[in-house]
Amino acid sequence: KPMKEVSFQQKEELKTALMKLSPWRKGPFDLCGVEIDAEWRADIKWNYLVDGISDLKDKVVLDLGCSNGYYMFRIAEKNPAMVLGIDTSRICWMQFEALQKYLKYSNLFYLPIGFEDMPEDCGIFDSIFAMGILYHRKAPFEFLRTLKYMLKPGGELVLETITVEGDERTVLVPEDRYAGMKNVWFFPSDKALVVWLKKAGFKNINIVDKYMSTIEEQRQTEWMTNESLKNWLDPNDSSKTIEGLPAPIRTIVTCKR
């Protein structure tokens, strides 16, 4: 949205205040000339998926694990009736509230709750975005089936997850960490992911895009100074993680209830 001009001093004060909410994981944002260069260039992923999703005008949308709401703001550009984001991170919630102070979208709502706190079988969403969530779930089939019944009949799931190369039977189960991440369980091939979605009862399954994660998309910045993707890839072979596993491939899929 166009933003009013502010003085140099106001801009510096705003940047100082926003920096106190670091680390910023998703972006970029520009608030009154303050450029928030977050760890993830989430605009890259958005550009990969935006032409492959259904029309969101006047739709009711859920952004699951929404972080600071970056994708919620992008979805808002499509004129939905409402976007609900949920995430348990309090710092992400505060970042969203700071952004909303200036962006002021009246149809965006954020609840600092987890997936388990949502009503099952509610069937109220036209579209659900589940970006980078599936590999954190111990029971992926139960998770996918629950998502299906949270959708209206004919509703669309937009799923983005890490996959590996292989056939319909290929699934990577890390022994411990994967690219430095804890709490990760299953990484199917894109072909196996399609089988999973069919088994969960989805139809019209379409692989929108598949691409390798790069340090241009995910990296350290002044807004996120912790370790990032560069630190978790093999320094001698970027096709592998430091654990010796295949480097992350990001696959975006859409499907319907």
Side-chain angles (χ1 to χ4, degrees):
K1 286 186 173 182
M3 309 206 69
K4 66 179 182 180
E5 294 185 5
V6 297
S7 68
F8 177 79
Q9 181 178 352
Q10 289 173 319
K11 181 178 174 180
E12 290 300 299
E13 290 174 352
L14 177 58
K15 181 176 181 179
T16 298
L18 292 170
M19 288 285 286
K20 291 180 179 179
L21 296 177
S22 296
W24 287 78
R25 298 287 184 180
K26 299 291 174 63
F29 294 98
D30 186 332
L31 291 184
C32 303
V34 177
E35 296 182 2
I36 302 174
D37 186 18
E39 177 189 15
W40 278 94
R41 282 283 309 277
D43 56 324
I44 293 176
K45 190 177 296 181
W46 177 256
N47 290 337
Y48 280 128
L49 69 85
V50 66
D51 291 333
I53 62 177
S54 297
D55 183 13
L56 297 175
K57 181 176 173 57
D58 299 326
K59 303 299 186 182
V60 177
V61 183
L62 172 66
D63 186 3
L64 178 62
C66 63
S67 185
N68 58 22
Y70 177 85
Y71 294 113
M72 296 172 64
F73 291 110
R74 299 308 302 264
I75 293 167
E77 297 171 0
K78 303 299 180 181
N79 299 310
M82 185 193 80
V83 184
L84 172 65
I86 65 170
D87 200 300
T88 57
S89 170
R90 293 303 193 266
I91 190 69
C92 288
W93 183 31
M94 289 187 282
Q95 290 173 2
F96 173 81
E97 291 295 330
L99 293 164
Q100 270 286 64
K101 179 178 175 64
Y102 296 92
L103 298 176
K104 300 184 185 301
Y105 281 99
S106 61
N107 58 348
L108 301 188
F109 302 90
Y110 192 124
L111 292 177
I113 63 174
F115 176 69
E116 289 77 12
D117 299 310
M118 292 291 291
E120 297 183 13
D121 300 342
C122 57
I124 61 172
F125 296 104
D126 297 290
S127 181
I128 295 177
F129 284 71
M131 315 283 281
I133 305 296
L134 183 61
Y135 46 83
H136 290 305
R137 308 301 302 187
K138 289 182 181 180
F141 290 103
E142 179 181 343
F143 174 66
L144 292 173
R145 282 195 296 269
T146 300
L147 290 180
K148 183 182 70 172
Y149 290 116
M150 292 172 70
L151 286 165
K152 296 177 181 178
E156 181 175 75
L157 172 63
V158 181
L159 176 70
E160 184 273 340
T161 192
I162 294 175
T163 57
V164 295
E165 296 291 2
D167 62 18
E168 291 82 356
R169 297 179 296 277
T170 303
V171 180
L172 171 65
V173 181
E175 184 177 351
D176 187 18
R177 298 194 180 206
Y178 173 83
M181 290 189 293
K182 298 183 290 185
N183 189 30
V184 290
W185 302 94
F186 302 97
F187 299 98
S189 68
D190 58 334
K191 297 180 180 66
L193 179 60
V194 169
V195 173
W196 288 14
L197 290 166
K198 288 179 178 178
K199 193 173 183 64
F202 286 96
K203 61 182 181 180
N204 299 346
I205 301 165
N206 179 49
I207 295 178
V208 174
D209 215 317
K210 185 172 77 168
Y211 67 98
M212 185 74 72
S213 290
T214 69
I215 57 175
E216 284 72 37
E217 182 186 15
Q218 183 187 11
R219 69 275 189 272
Q220 292 174 321
T221 74
E222 66 172 325
W223 295 85
M224 203 299 293
T225 58
N226 301 329
E227 292 180 316
S228 191
L229 180 61
K230 180 179 180 180
N231 305 100
W232 303 119
L233 295 179
D234 185 328
N236 300 312
D237 183 357
S238 61
S239 69
K240 296 180 180 179
T241 69
I242 58 170
E243 299 91 358
L245 300 172
I249 298 170
R250 295 277 169 178
T251 297
I252 302 166
V253 180
T254 61
C255 52
K256 299 289 183 71
R257 173 176 174 178

